[in-house]
Amino acid sequence: MGAQKKGATARVSEDPEELARNPLQAILLADSFATTFRPITLERPKVLLPLVNIPMIDYTLAWLESAGVEEVFVFCCAHSKQVIDYLESSQWSSQPNFSVATIESHNSISAGDALRLIYERNVIHGDFVLISGDTVSNMLLTQALQEHKERKKKDANAIMTMVVKQSKPSPITQQSRLGTDELFMAINPVTKQLLCYEDKAEYSKGFISLDKTLIADNPSIILHNDKQDCYIDICSQEVLSLFTDNFDYQHLRRHFVKGLLVDDIMGYKIFTHEIHSSYAARIDNFRSYDTISKDIIQRWTYPFVPDVLCGSTAIKVERQGTYRASDVTLSRSAHVGSFTFIGQGTKIGNDTKISHSVVGKGCTIGSNVTIEGSYIWNNVTIEDGCQLRNAIVCDGVIMKSGAVLQPGVILSFKVVVGHQFVVPAYSKVSLLQQPTQQDSDEELEYADSTSGTGELQSEKLNGDIAPDLSETASELGTGGVGYIWSVFEGVQDEEWRHSVAPIPTDKLVKLMLDEDEEQLTQDGNVLSASGELKADSDDNGSEDENNEDSRDDYVFFEKEVEATFLRAVHENVKVDHAVLEVNALRLSYNMASVDCAGAIFYSMMKLAVESPHSSASELLKNAAEMITKWQKLLKSFLHDIDEEIEVILKFEEMCLESAKEFAALFPQVLHLLYDKEILQEDAILRWADEKEGADESDKVFLKRSEKFIQWLKEAEEEEDDD
């Protein structure tokens, strides 16, 4: 526990009527207190960076307003003037029943310092929501708030509720789809009390240590590695006073949460609230920036999507998830692919192809340009023949003709890339020189500005003072302007792990080969498949319970495979990469190849049904396109006749339950699977033979397929005669 200041007390009202009158308040931390977005955040605060062409903080404030929060205090340090100026000139300065006030500091270097200062200001008068300005959510707060208040009435030590969401990490990379490290949480399944919180920095030794008293005091504990911390906290006023009492509380999770969990003197408790259908995620690195941007475009965050936040008259949503401003100038020969955003006043030249990307306002894009999976911010100029894949390009950048950005490149503000210059993968390029040493993750991005150089940097970038880059122009080719930052020793892996670019296949293969298969053990306890801690000698589970667990595991597995398949479709992921991802899920859930094949086939057919169609022939066309494109993925998990028969049985099940529209098309789809060499002749005939002895009610699809079965038998007989 931290060094406690004796005699400090929280200013907490005990009058229930007074508490009821208090408006719901929120503290929004506008500083990330980290360096994950450098070099961009040396020049602009993270919360003002565009997320699908809308500042991040607008998503957070829009959600808080919709969730019933009436008063928000925005704490800002780095580039505080930019944040304050933006908020004062935005819609948030004049919203009825929703006030936004700023609290500015120039000497706070951590979230702990920020909360101590807010406590001193005495502006929080009851329970409050604690959140950072890089969070996107559409969850309702009502239930979580009610649970928090009811717990507090029964137990004064229940001072905090953390919002979590299921998100199983990749067993290959040990990180979530947001690029965050695998997280372990021990939770009491009955009370939802958080008992242990361990991130990668703490379990790097290969094991997790749990205090024996936790097991003694809790009849049941589930140790989860499938929960995502949403960084949305509902707090009582005591949280602020605890930061004041403990001056070494700096980091919200590493110091405060873990400090309370190991403190057996004060007895304060933290609980969890899990959301299921709602969305909540924090932009913690470039990979989560990419993931959340795609989720917004695919409307998982509705109603917090561009056409709603900007107004439907300014942004139109077209087919295949394409968003386009009303005044975009688009050449007839240009092609804008699915899940792409094009902002106001942007001009796109001949034969240019853009897909799965965001292009901001006032951009000029030449002819024969290829942009895939990239984020082009505002007023960017991309000349003819340029190629960009999985990159971020900030405001005012100029790419001269023929320039190429390899995957993972970050071009900060007003950089110029020279003619036909190739920027290497994962490069970070800025007009500012790289700091001489790598900062810790608890130093502010404005650390260099405390002496006044931060304001000087902004002036240089705004054109008031021209930076002298003549000596470094050659770094970016002929006519190029900017510095290519070098990668600090020991953090090379972080570049591809946290990049907007997909993790390279060779990296995934290496990780799979190096994967450690040891099971987590601790003091004679083992972790069961469900995650519940049980003693080795405990043999109370019945066969029925085990079967139920297996069914539940398959349901979760099937959903994970479907999500992986949809990402592969929407993000144009290579088949080989998708095979690795599904294989990783197979290992994680301890499933067989046939389970993968069934889940993939289910996902393919479900997407075919959900795709637009107005007739059976159009549905069949959808299925044919899906099977043709992804046949290699499905075939990768079909190794013998028995597994192929399982796919036919899976299709029967779908036709009877989840995809009844396919019932009339069963023979045609079966024939299609045969034509594409996904199902062998022997598999189909063996399925037919096995069905002959079944009940009449189980022969529905066999009878519909009689002509095709007969054709196969005749073809087989002809081959035998030959």
Side-chain angles (χ1 to χ4, degrees):
M1 184 177 173
Q4 191 170 43
K5 187 173 74 176
K6 303 295 183 182
T9 56
R11 293 185 285 264
V12 182
S13 171
E14 299 294 340
D15 182 358
E17 292 185 4
E18 182 181 343
L19 288 173
R21 289 195 300 270
N22 287 332
L24 180 57
Q25 297 175 300
I27 295 174
L28 186 155
L29 300 178
D31 287 288
S32 62
F33 301 103
T35 60
T36 52
F37 266 71
R38 282 192 171 185
I40 297 173
T41 46
L42 284 175
E43 308 168 30
R44 184 182 297 177
K46 182 180 173 185
V47 295
L48 296 187
L49 301 182
L51 185 65
V52 194
N53 211 42
I54 297 169
M56 291 184 193
I57 196 172
D58 281 1
Y59 289 94
T60 312
L61 290 172
W63 170 67
L64 288 172
E65 182 186 29
S66 72
V69 173
E70 297 176 59
E71 201 171 18
V72 180
F73 294 96
V74 178
F75 182 89
C76 46
C77 288
H79 311 292
S80 57
K81 187 176 186 303
Q82 291 186 45
V83 176
I84 293 170
D85 288 348
Y86 174 77
L87 291 174
E88 287 180 349
S89 62
S90 72
Q91 59 175 318
W92 305 114
S93 64
S94 58
Q95 291 292 318
N97 304 317
F98 185 71
S99 69
V100 178
T102 55
I103 296 177
E104 185 179 10
S105 171
H106 293 290
N107 54 13
S108 296
I109 62 169
S110 69
D113 287 346
L115 295 179
R116 279 184 279 273
L117 179 60
I118 292 172
Y119 176 81
E120 292 172 5
R121 296 288 178 91
N122 194 25
V123 294
I124 299 298
H125 306 299
D127 293 339
F128 64 95
V129 180
L130 179 59
I131 193 171
S132 58
D134 50 12
T135 302
V136 178
S137 179
N138 61 8
M139 70 170 284
L140 298 175
L141 279 175
T142 310
Q143 184 180 350
L145 278 167
Q146 186 64 30
E147 290 174 2
H148 177 81
K149 290 179 183 297
E150 288 178 357
R151 273 194 294 261
K152 190 69 189 298
K153 287 179 182 178
K154 297 176 183 177
D155 185 351
N157 285 335
I159 63 170
M160 182 171 170
T161 301
M162 292 170 48
V163 176
V164 299
K165 184 176 176 66
Q166 185 167 7
S167 178
K168 197 170 184 69
S170 165
I172 301 177
T173 62
Q174 276 78 53
Q175 66 181 36
S176 71
R177 62 189 291 264
L178 297 174
T180 53
D181 292 329
E182 185 175 21
L183 175 66
F184 284 92
M185 289 184 181
I187 299 174
N188 184 316
V190 178
T191 65
K192 307 303 180 185
Q193 183 180 349
L194 180 68
L195 303 171
C196 179
Y197 185 102
E198 299 285 351
D199 56 20
K200 183 177 181 180
E202 301 299 330
Y203 70 82
S204 56
K205 295 181 180 179
F207 59 86
I208 298 291
S209 297
L210 293 181
D211 194 317
K212 290 181 180 179
T213 58
L214 288 181
I215 300 175
D217 296 341
N218 294 272
S220 179
I221 300 175
I222 297 182
L223 183 59
H224 297 274
N225 75 330
D226 60 349
K227 294 288 183 275
Q228 168 195 322
D229 186 347
C230 299
Y231 291 93
I232 298 173
D233 302 327
I234 299 170
C235 306
S236 300
Q237 284 179 280
E238 288 90 342
V239 168
L240 294 179
S241 67
L242 282 169
F243 273 95
T244 302
D245 293 347
N246 299 275
F247 290 103
D248 54 353
Y249 282 171
Q250 302 294 333
H251 194 280
L252 284 173
R253 295 297 188 256
R254 198 174 305 151
H255 299 148
F256 176 69
V257 169
K258 299 179 79 170
L260 291 194
L261 294 179
V262 299
D263 173 24
D264 55 1
I265 299 175
M266 301 300 292
Y268 289 117
K269 300 173 184 176
I270 300 173
F271 292 83
T272 60
H273 173 81
E274 184 172 356
I275 58 175
H276 300 280
S277 58
S278 301
Y279 188 91
R282 182 188 177 195
I283 302 162
D284 191 50
N285 53 57
F286 289 120
R287 184 168 299 284
S288 54
Y289 177 88
D290 173 63
T291 300
I292 294 172
S293 295
K294 287 180 168 61
D295 289 345
I296 290 170
I297 289 174
Q298 294 172 26
R299 306 182 80 76
W300 293 106
T301 61
Y302 189 87
F304 307 113
V305 291
D307 53 304
V308 176
L309 293 177
C310 297
S312 57
T313 56
I315 301 294
K316 295 290 185 183
V317 185
E318 302 174 355
R319 293 188 64 182
Q320 296 185 316
T322 299
Y323 297 73
R324 190 186 303 184
S326 56
D327 58 350
V328 170
T329 302
L330 182 67
S331 168
R332 287 188 176 183
S333 59
H335 176 71
V336 176
S338 58
F339 301 107
T340 296
F341 179 100
I342 309 294
Q344 289 177 297
T346 286
K347 300 176 181 178
I348 302 172
N350 298 327
D351 299 311
T352 284
K353 297 179 180 178
I354 305 174
S355 63
H356 299 92
S357 298
V358 174
V359 180
K361 302 174 185 176
C363 296
T364 301
I365 300 174
S367 301
N368 297 299
V369 173
T370 300
I371 302 174
E372 294 179 4
S374 296
Y375 299 91
I376 316 301
W377 293 0
N378 299 325
N379 303 311
V380 172
T381 300
I382 301 175
E383 296 182 358
D384 297 348
C386 290
Q387 296 182 34
L388 301 82
R389 287 179 172 82
N390 305 109
I392 293 179
V393 179
C394 296
D395 295 359
V397 165
I398 298 174
M399 290 182 62
K400 295 188 177 294
S401 60
V404 176
L405 302 187
Q406 292 187 339
V409 167
I410 308 294
L411 298 184
S412 197
F413 301 94
K414 298 188 178 180
V415 162
V416 179
V417 181
H419 175 66
Q420 293 188 340
F421 184 80
V422 179
V423 183
Y426 308 113
S427 295
K428 295 180 179 179
V429 186
S430 176
L431 293 188
L432 301 177
Q433 290 186 336
Q434 186 172 13
T436 55
Q437 63 182 11
Q438 178 76 341
D439 298 321
S440 74
D441 66 351
E442 290 181 8
E443 288 183 294
L444 287 174
E445 278 110 351
Y446 76 99
D448 296 331
S449 71
T450 53
S451 61
T453 56
E455 295 301 324
L456 181 62
Q457 289 168 347
S458 296
E459 290 175 358
K460 286 181 179 180
L461 294 167
N462 289 329
D464 299 327
I465 303 175
D468 182 10
L469 295 168
S470 57
E471 295 180 1
T472 65
S474 59
E475 284 193 34
L476 293 169
T478 305
V481 181
Y483 299 93
I484 298 179
W485 287 20
S486 58
V487 178
F488 285 103
E489 186 177 355
V491 296
Q492 288 88 347
D493 279 359
E494 303 306 310
E495 299 303 318
W496 57 263
R497 280 181 177 273
H498 296 156
S499 168
V500 295
I503 296 177
T505 302
D506 62 321
K507 298 289 186 185
L508 289 173
V509 171
K510 184 178 185 303
L511 287 171
M512 288 184 73
L513 293 174
D514 295 342
E515 184 179 1
D516 182 8
E517 297 181 354
E518 292 183 3
Q519 292 186 346
L520 180 66
T521 61
Q522 175 64 30
D523 288 340
N525 290 313
V526 296
L527 190 64
S528 71
S530 66
E532 187 167 3
L533 287 174
K534 299 178 180 178
D536 283 338
S537 59
D538 184 5
D539 192 24
N540 295 328
S542 67
E543 186 176 343
D544 289 341
E545 288 175 341
N546 290 334
N547 290 337
E548 187 66 33
D549 286 343
S550 297
R551 285 193 291 272
D552 289 344
D553 283 348
Y554 184 77
V555 170
F556 284 123
F557 170 74
E558 192 173 62
K559 288 180 179 178
E560 290 277 7
V561 171
E562 183 183 2
T564 299
F565 176 72
L566 290 175
R567 284 198 297 275
V569 172
H570 297 325
E571 299 173 20
N572 203 24
V573 173
K574 293 181 179 179
V575 172
D576 291 343
H577 199 149
V579 170
L580 286 172
E581 289 288 331
V582 175
N583 252 325
L585 291 172
R586 178 179 64 81
L587 294 171
S588 176
Y589 282 91
N590 195 27
M591 293 293 172
S593 289
V594 67
D595 298 318
C596 298
I600 291 168
F601 183 70
Y602 168 82
S603 303
M604 292 165 60
M605 294 297 97
K606 184 180 177 185
L607 184 57
V609 169
E610 292 175 351
S611 298
H613 62 276
S614 57
S615 64
S617 60
E618 288 185 4
L619 176 58
L620 183 60
K621 182 181 177 182
N622 288 350
E625 291 175 350
M626 202 67 61
I627 291 169
T628 301
K629 182 172 182 179
W630 296 100
Q631 58 183 310
K632 182 180 176 182
L633 175 63
L634 181 57
K635 193 65 179 173
S636 296
F637 297 95
L638 293 174
H639 306 302
D640 57 40
I641 298 297
D642 289 335
E643 291 177 347
E644 292 177 18
I645 293 173
E646 287 297 323
V647 169
I648 303 175
L649 296 175
K650 182 71 173 180
F651 189 38
E652 280 190 283
E653 179 186 319
M654 291 183 66
C655 290
L656 290 170
E657 298 175 4
S658 59
K660 294 181 180 180
E661 284 187 72
F662 271 121
L665 298 173
F666 186 91
Q668 293 93 322
V669 174
L670 193 64
H671 201 152
L672 181 63
L673 293 169
Y674 171 76
D675 287 343
K676 295 298 180 182
E677 299 183 349
I678 294 170
L679 299 180
Q680 299 177 59
E681 177 182 311
D682 288 348
I684 298 172
L685 293 178
R686 271 187 53 187
W687 165 76
D689 289 343
E690 290 173 7
K691 286 288 180 180
E692 287 295 342
D695 295 336
E696 287 301 314
S697 60
D698 201 25
K699 292 183 180 180
V700 175
F701 297 109
L702 176 63
K703 290 181 177 180
R704 291 183 181 178
S705 306
E706 281 179 343
K707 290 184 179 180
F708 176 51
I709 301 295
Q710 186 61 35
W711 178 79
L712 285 178
K713 288 180 178 178
E714 291 172 357
E716 186 179 39
E717 290 171 0
E718 289 177 6
E719 288 180 2
D720 291 340
D721 292 341
D722 292 341

